[in-house]
Amino acid sequence: MRKILITGTAGFIGFHLSKRLISEGYEVTGLDCINDYYDVNLKYARLNELGIDRQSISDNELITSIKFPLHRFIKMKLEEKDSIFKLFEKEKFDTVIHLAAQAGVRYSLENPWAYIESNVIGHLNILEACRHNPVKHLVFASSSSVYGLNEKMPLAVTDNVDHPISLYAATKKSDELMSHVYSHLFDVPVTGLRFFTVYGPWGRPDMALFKFTKAILEEKPVEIYNYGKMIRDFTYVDDIVEGVVRIAMKPPEKNPQWDRNDPDPSTSYARYRIANIGNSSPVNLEEFIDAIELELGIKAKREYLPMQPGDVPRTFADVSSLEKEFDYKPATPIAHGIREFITWYKGFFLQDNL
């Protein structure tokens, strides 16, 4: 049995990934600092689904799930180097899936320091911990935001990503660069995953589907940026999890075909790779709202606004390398994903969990 550390397990993707791996019998340790970027009650509710009692949580103390004996949780900050190192030294993880980060493009304009502390210093601490306590595979969450000013579509892992337009994107690009260094110098097998606009049940309140659904149900205006001229490659969370699991179970090998004179940024002579996980079927934001309206049976009040700083007008994932190497392509239809989210949203809030 493999011992797996998942950071960000109280977060949206981390919660779903933990639930999947626990159900398959893996020994999962979840780590999260439970910060207040959005309502912590939603994070605690996710942990409760995993059998972690809120009242039993204390800083830097491992606790065991009351539902799943092989699942444990620890509240810990990535920036706490000594605590991270002690955890790795004690537990000897086989695989690390590092999803914890300060999320959000727009919030990076307000609090840039949070992104450096969590996404850069925190990522460095994970790399150092994996260096000194060797793991079979380190998988970490990058982001489609690293593509920045790129306009060639679809966005491929072989594309240049030297022009990010938000600090959040810049920290994720930094994570990719640091990870390659550690793979090259210390032979850490590492894969970076560029996620494309993830949505689904238990989603984040700052993401489009959550915000739009909430606004429509409360008969408030839906804020639509760039006057509706936005296209997103919305990717259902279960598809993201399936991709993460397949990739995590197959550490990268050194690429003997890698050419220093024509370097492919998605792979290396070191044990390093980058992968896109996206639906590869972009949807216009207006059509996305149409689908929410159809599912709710309520028309939205639409408020059109200019583009927000740090946003990009279009995303579209090229997943050809994912298909080739892992025989996998996300394919959940947008209507199904929206239906699953709205069913969860209505049930969760009717139960007065927040």
Side-chain angles (χ1 to χ4, degrees):
M1 181 167 300
R2 300 179 72 172
K3 293 184 66 174
I4 300 175
L5 172 67
I6 300 175
T7 72
T9 193
F12 174 34
I13 301 173
F15 159 71
H16 282 279
L17 179 63
S18 297
K19 196 172 181 179
R20 161 76 179 268
L21 291 175
I22 290 166
S23 72
E24 294 183 358
Y26 290 95
E27 186 176 345
V28 174
T29 298
L31 180 152
D32 204 294
C33 70
I34 318 179
N35 69 22
D36 61 358
Y37 169 62
Y38 58 83
D39 193 341
V40 297
N41 291 305
L42 177 56
K43 298 181 180 184
Y44 282 118
R46 293 182 186 131
L47 290 174
N48 185 64
E49 287 287 304
L50 299 175
I52 301 300
D53 177 28
R54 179 173 184 168
Q55 302 305 317
S56 66
I57 296 173
S58 58
D59 290 350
N60 301 337
E61 293 292 334
L62 271 170
I63 59 173
T64 301
S65 167
I66 57 177
K67 294 180 181 179
F68 309 103
L70 292 178
H71 175 50
R72 294 176 301 163
F73 175 78
I74 187 165
K75 183 182 178 186
M76 182 178 289
K77 292 183 177 179
L78 297 173
E79 306 93 285
E80 295 177 356
K81 180 181 68 173
D82 291 343
S83 297
I84 292 289
F85 285 10
K86 287 177 183 177
L87 178 67
F88 273 71
E89 289 168 3
K90 179 182 177 183
E91 297 300 323
K92 305 298 182 187
F93 300 111
D94 294 311
T95 301
V96 175
I97 304 177
H98 176 40
L99 304 178
Q102 177 56 61
V105 169
R106 292 166 195 157
Y107 184 61
S108 66
L109 301 175
E110 303 172 28
N111 188 2
W113 295 274
Y115 291 78
I116 301 302
E117 291 167 0
S118 179
N119 301 5
V120 178
I121 295 173
H123 188 75
L124 175 61
N125 288 341
I126 293 294
L127 287 169
E128 275 287 297
C130 290
R131 169 194 174 186
H132 293 288
N133 303 275
V135 297
K136 295 175 182 176
H137 196 185
L138 166 62
V139 180
F140 72 94
S142 184
S143 168
S144 62
S145 66
V146 300
Y147 289 106
L149 292 176
N150 289 16
E151 290 192 353
K152 180 186 75 65
M153 297 290 161
L155 298 163
V157 290
T158 53
D159 291 343
N160 180 285
V161 289
D162 285 341
H163 298 89
I165 58 172
S166 70
L167 184 64
Y168 169 70
T171 62
K172 289 300 185 179
K173 168 71 183 291
S174 299
D175 291 346
E176 293 181 2
L177 294 174
M178 289 192 294
S179 296
H180 183 266
V181 170
Y182 272 71
S183 183
H184 163 65
L185 290 177
F186 309 116
D187 200 32
V188 178
V190 58
T191 299
L193 305 177
R194 294 175 181 167
F195 298 143
F196 282 71
T197 316
V198 190
Y199 75 103
W202 296 94
R204 285 180 10 218
D206 62 323
M207 298 295 283
L209 180 54
F210 197 114
K211 290 170 66 177
F212 293 167
T213 299
K214 185 174 188 291
I216 293 170
L217 287 172
E218 294 177 356
E219 299 183 350
K220 294 179 180 178
V222 171
E223 296 181 340
I224 306 171
Y225 295 108
N226 202 31
Y227 305 104
K229 297 176 182 177
M230 300 276 277
I231 295 174
R232 286 289 180 271
D233 199 352
F234 292 100
T235 310
Y236 191 58
V237 67
D238 286 356
D239 290 344
I240 292 287
V241 167
E242 178 65 26
V244 173
V245 171
R246 290 189 184 214
I247 290 168
M249 301 307 168
K250 187 179 178 181
E253 299 293 341
K254 297 180 180 181
N255 180 4
Q257 308 301 319
W258 194 79
D259 186 354
R260 294 171 185 261
N261 295 309
D262 184 22
D264 175 356
S266 70
T267 183
S268 176
Y269 60 88
R271 293 199 288 170
Y272 170 88
R273 69 170 164 237
I274 295 293
N276 281 342
I277 307 183
N279 202 50
S280 197
S281 183
V283 176
N284 182 280
L285 200 56
E286 296 268 35
E287 295 175 7
F288 189 66
I289 297 169
D290 291 344
I292 300 171
E293 289 177 333
L294 183 64
E295 188 61 36
L296 289 173
I298 305 171
K299 295 295 289 183
K301 300 175 182 178
R302 306 191 186 202
E303 181 181 358
Y304 294 91
L305 300 168
M307 178 73 90
Q308 292 289 287
D311 275 355
V312 296
R314 187 180 184 190
T315 62
F316 178 4
D318 180 336
V319 294
S320 56
S321 61
L322 186 69
E323 291 184 79
K324 181 179 179 181
E325 188 169 359
F326 300 97
D327 191 28
Y328 180 63
K329 183 181 185 299
T332 299
I334 199 79
H336 173 80
I338 288 174
R339 184 178 306 116
E340 290 295 308
F341 171 81
I342 289 174
T343 298
W344 166 79
Y345 185 93
K346 287 180 174 179
F348 185 78
F349 285 97
L350 285 175
Q351 293 171 18
D352 197 28
N353 282 318
L354 288 181

